[in-house]
Amino acid sequence: MTAPVLAVVVCHDGEQWLGTALSALRRQRTAPRYVVAVDTGSVDGTAMLLSRATDGLVDRVLTLPRGTGFAEAVHAALDAAPGPVEWLWVLHDDCAPEPECLTGLLAVASAVPRAAVLGPLSLDWADPELVVEAGVSTDASGHRQTGLGGAEPVAAFERITEALAVPSAGSLILRSAWDRVGGYDRRLPLLREDVDFGWRVNRDGGLVLCVPTARMRHARAATRGVRRLDAVAARPGPSPRGVDRAHGLRTFLVNCGTASFVLGIPRVFLLVLLRALGFLALRRFGDAHAEVGALRYLASGRAGLVAARACRPAKGVVPGLFTSRFTRLRNAFRGFVGYLVRRRVEADAALGRLPPATRPVWTLPSEVEGPPVRLPGGLRHVAATVRVDRPSPVPRFVGVDRWRVLRSVVFGPPCALVVGLVAFALVAHAGRFGLDLAGGRVLPVPDGLWEQYLATWHPVSGGTMAPAPAASAVLAAAGVLTGGPAALVSLLFLFDAPLAGLAAYAATRRAPVRRPVRALVAAAYAVLPGAVVAVAEGRLDVVVVHLSVPVVFAGLAAVLRGGSSWLPVASGTSLVLACLGAFAPLLHAFAVVAALVGFVVVPGPGNGVRRRVVGLFMVVLLPVALLLPWPAAVVGNPSILLHGVGAVVPTPAPSVGELAVLSPGGGSVVGVLVVVFALVLALVRPSVAMVPGVVVAVVAVGAVWLVRTVAVVPPAGGPAFAGFVGGPLLVVGWGLLGVVLAAFRQDARPVPAVRVVAVAGALSVLGLAGSGVAGLAASVLTSTTVPEFATGRSVLVLGTPTRQVVGRLPAFGDDDLVPTLSSPGRLARWHRALTEGSVPEARSALAAASAAGVGYVVVADRAVERRVRERVGELVAPSGLLPDGRPVLRVQLAGGTAVVLSPDLARQARTGASPPASLDVAGLTPVEAAAPYAAVRVSEGAPGRLVVIAAEEEPGWRVTVDGRVVAPTRAWGHLVAVPVPPAGAEVRVEASPTLRSWLLLVQAAATLFTLATALPTRP
């Protein structure tokens, strides 16, 4: 039986598929009336196969040049048709329709009068159980949307659906509809001609249907890169990805509405550039080249956008069939759900728990019935079966109850862990939520951390050119994601437990341990006593340790394994190590030593020695480059190494009993549960897998001893004291929990009385959480801002230690800046003289502070205020209270950030005498200038005058007088001073960055390299 159909077979170097395709065409139950084959310059055996097929199958063979496009070939076949027909059936040389394919298409066409284009299901060439293409759509970025999450089983398609377009291979087209819209666009020689044509047919009023009763195997040689795209040898070809992107963007722009076209041109150009940059960052250079090629194709005018739009009388999206942004969001959600379901089913498959029977993966064509339905264009189809790859060559489709599996995932151990720890955080921090928390060891976090980090000179402790702490750069960079560094710090304190629990759970994903055990271990780690005390006392450095330790040790283990993805793993581990080193240098050094020891002790795979060596060098050296120039400050100041980053807060040393229960102080003893669990399991179920955890715990105990016993003076000055042992104790806890995990490995013998052990573990975690809630009730964190003082003069904050900051109160990072050698002692003397000294000592100290630029003095309370005012009298005046209730005194002495001294005062300043402590001082003229870049124009006058800048004199100042470089001198024993000639001069004083700028460039290069290589690439 024949039908009024013209079958057009377009061939191009398709010898390996053409024989099967012609055989399938010959076996059609309903045969087309005419068959025309078009050979576009094939150089293989295609021509010979077609000549043989002219005996009873192919009516005519056309031979066209090799560069002829697919659209032009179909037009040529129609022009050469032997007779009139009602339908056109377009076939590729790499598609093989099932015997009932044409019959099914014609049956639906007769039942739906408005049907203009009908397409079959495209099945995989090698596995006809998989659907690789059905109805297609596009979005506003020109991406082809199939609604398939990879390959789907045939059983998932049971209804005839409307579509924006169907693939050209196997499509049955009404001849009258073809003539009305002009057929395939000849400006699209290959790829996307089907979407463009279907869009125009829909706008013309016809229906485009996907018919699952008709099925066809399709090799998709062009899109898979198996066949050369000779029709688009020039750019954006011959890459299939480049051609697809270029023609996809053109298809959208020539068919969309006028407003979408006008707004879409700049939007598309911007998005394509951003995508290209993103692909470059991911090292997907082929995709980046495709985006740039598509942009050049549009910008060069070769797309012919204006002319193509003029040829389309009806333009605009087709409601319901165009893929909207909302549909893409739904696809993302459905894709995530499908990923969760697939992972769960794959896990069951690995454990041999697949159901014995599944629903059929093949639905008979007779079972597909019902009128056409319209689904959102490109909406991802949620199948009821999941493909599971088994060791055998043939994959298996497993029927699943999606919602049952999803419920088991949502209510499984990972989600229960997150929900439980979030509930813990909400309860523990009730009444304390805010995005500006500070207190204890964390000073208020100001805005502008980047500027402070990059600055050459810092207005702290009279001024210093020491490098800013790398922690400021980490917070400034990561704070972009949270709306600012202050918000980031607050979120880290508030949600330390959930974040640490997630990090611990993710870090153990390679361990052959059941998920409930991993979740309990992660929960125990999240609420260890050391972390609770750290959050309660505002110890940001220990919070970062808490979050980093699981990731660091998991990354080091992966680097030592030397796997195939060693580069992203090594770079990512280096990045986390650098963050750890920015806050806790001692534990950074501990991790590096652990990596070196592990490299020597742990044997690696024979074929991965080079990867292990390079990975080890990266995790050892790259973090140092990422922290430049901060390591120099750490090496020169042992207090930073032992105390970490944060405000100076003396810490009482914990007792040995407290250390034995993993408590850094505060009276909590529930940490003993972790110690007991680890010891009991190590004695009852010893195994080699416990050795890494034991080694980590034992070596970390050494770090605890070092921090507890060695007392050092902090950079900001004050008495020497030992550091806080919370960070090393967290490492000890992680090592002990590693021992617990090793006892529950699935490759070990079963745990006796497993239910009793599980209940004991759960109760232990609840005990740790309860103790944590009680400990956080006494947290010192409160919402705090950084008040600024409009005058720009320094603020002297009396306390332990005494701090001097320009224009504001002390903030995060100030106590970690290494001041000049004389600054801590001088500030301590000012404090002692103002609060405890005699009247002459107090007035002299205030005069010295005023000469150093101090305009305000902040005291602890009213009692201290009275003592200061009793000593200095009229030299200060009350200036209100700070938000926390501390009194502020305004210094009444003449002074400023820069002054010109008369010859008499200059002589006193040079000789090291004390500044005058009276209100009626003559010969002192404040000028508008300030460090680190001060410029003063001094008129002519008496010889011996001096320009004094309120900044500590130290190496690095560059001084010029009328353009001549001169050496600075000292005034009042420590300030930068410049002699002025009698004729007057222009004096410039500036901080020279010298080596620091080069180190920052090295740091920037290391950061770019790390970020670029840390991103995983698509396999």
Side-chain angles (χ1 to χ4, degrees):
M1 183 177 66
T2 61
V5 176
L6 168 64
V8 176
V9 183
V10 180
C11 308
H12 184 83
D13 292 345
E15 179 184 10
Q16 59 179 311
W17 310 285
L18 183 58
T20 304
L22 294 175
S23 175
L25 182 60
R26 191 186 303 274
R27 290 184 294 108
Q28 289 298 304
R29 181 161 300 181
T30 300
R33 181 170 299 171
Y34 306 111
V35 177
V36 175
V38 182
D39 181 13
T40 58
S42 299
V43 294
D44 57 359
T46 296
M48 181 180 64
L49 290 175
L50 291 178
S51 63
R52 294 175 181 174
T54 54
D55 183 15
L57 177 62
V58 178
D59 297 289
R60 184 170 298 176
V61 177
L62 302 179
T63 302
L64 300 180
R66 187 167 179 79
T68 305
F70 177 80
E72 183 64 39
V74 177
H75 280 282
L78 278 173
D79 294 340
V85 291
E86 184 180 356
W87 295 91
L88 167 66
W89 194 22
V90 181
L91 298 171
H92 297 184
D93 58 0
D94 61 346
C95 70
E98 298 291 335
E100 299 286 344
C101 183
L102 183 57
T103 303
L105 293 175
L106 291 172
V108 174
S110 63
V112 184
R114 288 182 54 213
V117 181
L118 304 97
L121 287 183
S122 294
L123 311 179
D124 185 72
W125 184 266
D127 186 355
E129 293 182 351
L130 303 181
V131 177
V132 294
E133 277 190 318
V136 297
S137 181
T138 188
D139 57 25
S141 298
H143 295 103
R144 187 182 184 92
Q145 301 288 340
T146 64
L148 301 177
E152 300 285 351
V154 177
F157 297 84
E158 300 178 348
R159 298 295 299 273
I160 301 171
T161 57
E162 295 184 39
L164 181 68
V166 292
S168 58
S171 59
L172 184 68
I173 304 170
L174 188 65
R175 177 62 190 266
S176 59
W178 173 279
D179 293 335
R180 283 197 307 272
V181 302
Y184 291 143
D185 190 341
R186 290 181 170 90
R187 296 296 295 271
L188 298 175
L190 285 174
L191 305 181
R192 294 306 184 97
E193 77 288 333
D194 47 7
V195 177
D196 174 80
F197 178 70
W199 194 331
R200 286 183 283 133
V201 169
N202 272 288
R203 293 298 301 178
D204 186 60
L207 285 181
V208 179
L209 302 178
C210 177
V211 183
T213 56
R215 293 160 184 173
M216 173 194 68
R217 293 163 59 202
H218 190 196
R220 299 173 296 148
T223 56
R224 292 191 299 113
V226 180
R227 191 204 314 264
R228 284 180 50 85
L229 306 185
D230 294 301
V232 283
R235 293 184 178 181
S239 165
R241 176 63 175 162
V243 175
D244 183 71
R245 285 297 292 136
H247 290 177
L249 290 171
R250 180 188 186 274
T251 297
F252 169 74
L253 291 174
V254 301
N255 289 290
C256 64
T258 302
S260 298
F261 177 75
V262 173
L263 298 176
I265 291 292
R267 180 187 62 83
V268 163
F269 272 62
L270 177 61
L271 289 180
V272 169
L273 284 175
L274 292 177
R275 285 175 57 84
L277 292 175
F279 285 136
L280 284 175
L282 293 171
R283 303 189 301 284
R284 292 166 54 179
F285 302 114
D287 289 334
H289 183 269
E291 297 292 330
V292 175
L295 195 61
R296 294 181 58 181
Y297 171 73
L298 295 177
S300 65
R302 288 184 288 124
L305 300 180
V306 176
R309 288 182 62 84
C311 296
R312 288 161 170 77
K315 295 181 284 292
V317 300
V318 181
L321 300 181
F322 184 81
T323 304
S324 64
R325 293 182 179 87
F326 178 68
T327 300
R328 281 182 282 172
L329 289 176
R330 294 177 65 186
N331 283 345
F333 175 74
R334 289 188 173 186
F336 176 68
V337 172
Y339 169 78
L340 293 179
V341 172
R342 186 170 60 254
R343 287 292 300 271
R344 181 59 184 274
V345 173
E346 287 174 350
D348 290 342
L351 296 174
R353 297 176 179 173
L354 290 181
T358 65
R359 62 173 295 173
V361 298
W362 180 270
T363 305
L364 297 175
S366 59
E367 298 176 6
V368 182
E369 56 186 21
V373 296
R374 171 174 287 199
L375 300 176
L379 180 63
R380 182 185 290 269
H381 187 82
V382 181
T385 56
V386 173
R387 180 182 180 180
V388 178
D389 293 322
R390 300 182 299 177
S392 62
V394 181
R396 177 181 179 185
F397 285 96
V398 179
V400 297
D401 182 343
R402 298 187 303 273
W403 297 113
R404 183 187 65 80
V405 175
L406 184 59
R407 284 195 301 271
S408 68
V409 171
V410 170
F411 296 106
C415 292
L417 171 69
V418 173
V419 171
L421 292 178
V422 168
F424 166 82
L426 295 177
V427 172
H429 296 287
R432 198 180 299 119
F433 282 90
L435 296 180
D436 53 358
L437 297 180
R441 197 156 189 255
V442 61
L443 293 173
V445 181
D447 295 327
L449 277 184
W450 267 126
E451 291 79 359
Q452 296 182 25
Y453 176 73
L454 297 175
T456 303
W457 181 82
H458 306 282
V460 176
S461 299
T464 176
M465 294 187 194
S472 298
V474 174
L475 294 181
V480 174
L481 304 176
T482 60
L488 173 64
V489 171
S490 300
L491 292 174
L492 289 179
F493 279 125
L494 294 173
F495 296 101
D496 166 68
L499 293 174
L502 275 178
Y505 186 84
T508 59
R509 67 186 184 278
R510 286 185 173 271
V513 180
R514 292 175 59 85
R515 294 193 306 163
V517 177
R518 289 172 51 206
L520 280 177
V521 167
Y525 176 77
V527 292
L528 284 175
V532 172
V533 175
V535 173
E537 297 182 358
R539 298 182 180 274
L540 182 60
D541 56 329
V542 181
V543 169
V544 173
V545 170
H546 192 209
L547 301 177
S548 304
V549 163
V551 181
V552 165
F553 280 99
L556 292 178
V559 169
L560 295 179
R561 283 194 296 268
S564 58
S565 59
W566 67 273
L567 182 59
V569 171
S571 296
T573 304
S574 300
L575 192 62
V576 180
L577 261 178
C579 294
L580 177 63
F583 289 89
L586 177 65
L587 294 181
H588 175 201
F590 172 82
V592 170
V593 172
L596 295 173
V597 173
F599 180 80
V600 175
V601 175
V602 178
N607 58 352
V609 175
R610 182 177 300 178
R611 293 194 293 264
R612 293 183 77 217
V613 172
V614 177
L616 178 68
F617 270 92
M618 288 182 64
V619 298
V620 171
L621 300 179
L622 192 54
V624 178
L626 291 171
L627 295 173
L628 288 174
W630 177 240
V634 175
V635 172
N637 294 270
S639 61
I640 300 176
L641 180 67
L642 296 177
H643 291 177
V645 172
V648 176
V649 177
T651 304
S655 65
V656 176
E658 288 176 320
L659 295 178
V661 296
L662 302 181
S663 175
S668 175
V669 297
V670 293
V672 70
L673 299 173
V674 176
V675 179
V676 170
F677 247 91
L679 291 177
V680 170
L681 290 174
L683 293 174
V684 175
R685 296 171 54 80
S687 69
V688 178
M690 295 180 178
V691 173
V694 173
V695 172
V696 168
V698 170
V699 177
V701 168
V704 171
W705 175 85
L706 180 67
V707 174
R708 179 177 178 268
T709 56
V710 179
V712 290
V713 177
F721 59 89
F724 181 71
V725 298
L729 280 180
L730 289 176
V731 181
V732 174
W734 179 247
L736 295 177
L737 291 173
V739 173
V740 174
L741 271 180
F744 289 89
R745 290 172 61 97
Q746 292 182 346
D747 52 3
R749 64 180 186 274
V751 179
V754 64
R755 293 188 177 181
V756 176
V757 175
V759 171
L763 292 177
S764 299
V765 171
L766 290 177
L768 287 169
S771 175
V773 172
L776 291 173
S779 175
V780 298
L781 297 175
T782 57
S783 292
T784 309
T785 57
V786 186
E788 296 186 357
F789 294 78
T791 63
R793 297 187 65 181
S794 294
V795 180
L796 184 66
V797 182
L798 302 183
T800 304
T802 295
R803 302 177 175 100
Q804 179 188 355
V805 189
V806 174
R808 57 172 173 80
L809 291 180
F812 177 83
D814 289 352
D815 282 5
D816 303 303
L817 290 164
V818 180
T820 59
L821 292 176
S822 61
S823 293
R826 182 174 54 259
L827 293 175
R829 289 194 303 271
W830 290 351
H831 178 204
R832 187 168 52 253
L834 290 172
T835 58
E836 302 173 1
S838 62
V839 171
E841 290 175 341
R843 293 174 70 89
S844 177
L846 187 65
S850 178
V854 173
Y856 297 91
V857 178
V858 177
V859 297
D861 50 37
R862 290 292 189 183
V864 178
E865 178 189 14
R866 284 194 299 271
R867 293 205 306 269
V868 172
R869 295 187 64 185
E870 289 171 357
R871 286 167 171 78
V872 300
E874 77 284 359
L875 300 186
V876 296
S879 185
L881 301 174
L882 293 177
D884 58 5
R886 287 181 293 172
V888 180
L889 300 174
R890 181 191 297 272
V891 178
Q892 300 293 88
L893 292 168
T897 55
V899 296
V900 178
L901 300 182
S902 65
D904 293 336
L905 283 179
R907 205 162 24 251
Q908 296 180 38
R910 284 197 187 98
T911 58
S914 298
S918 61
L919 297 179
D920 53 352
V921 177
L924 188 150
T925 305
V927 293
E928 291 292 332
Y933 303 105
V936 180
R937 181 68 185 179
V938 184
S939 59
E940 61 178 309
R945 292 174 299 166
L946 205 63
V947 173
V948 179
I949 307 297
E952 296 293 306
E953 200 282 319
E954 59 179 320
W957 288 110
R958 185 177 186 273
V959 179
T960 60
V961 177
D962 284 339
R964 292 184 301 106
V965 178
V966 299
T969 61
R970 287 190 176 186
W972 311 120
H974 62 99
L975 300 179
V976 177
V978 184
V980 180
E986 181 180 13
V987 178
R988 290 185 177 273
V989 179
E990 60 182 7
S992 177
T994 59
L995 180 62
R996 173 177 169 78
S997 297
W998 293 103
L999 293 178
L1000 288 176
L1001 288 176
V1002 173
Q1003 181 194 44
T1007 302
L1008 290 176
F1009 170 80
T1010 305
L1011 292 176
T1013 55
L1015 295 173
T1017 57
R1018 180 180 296 175

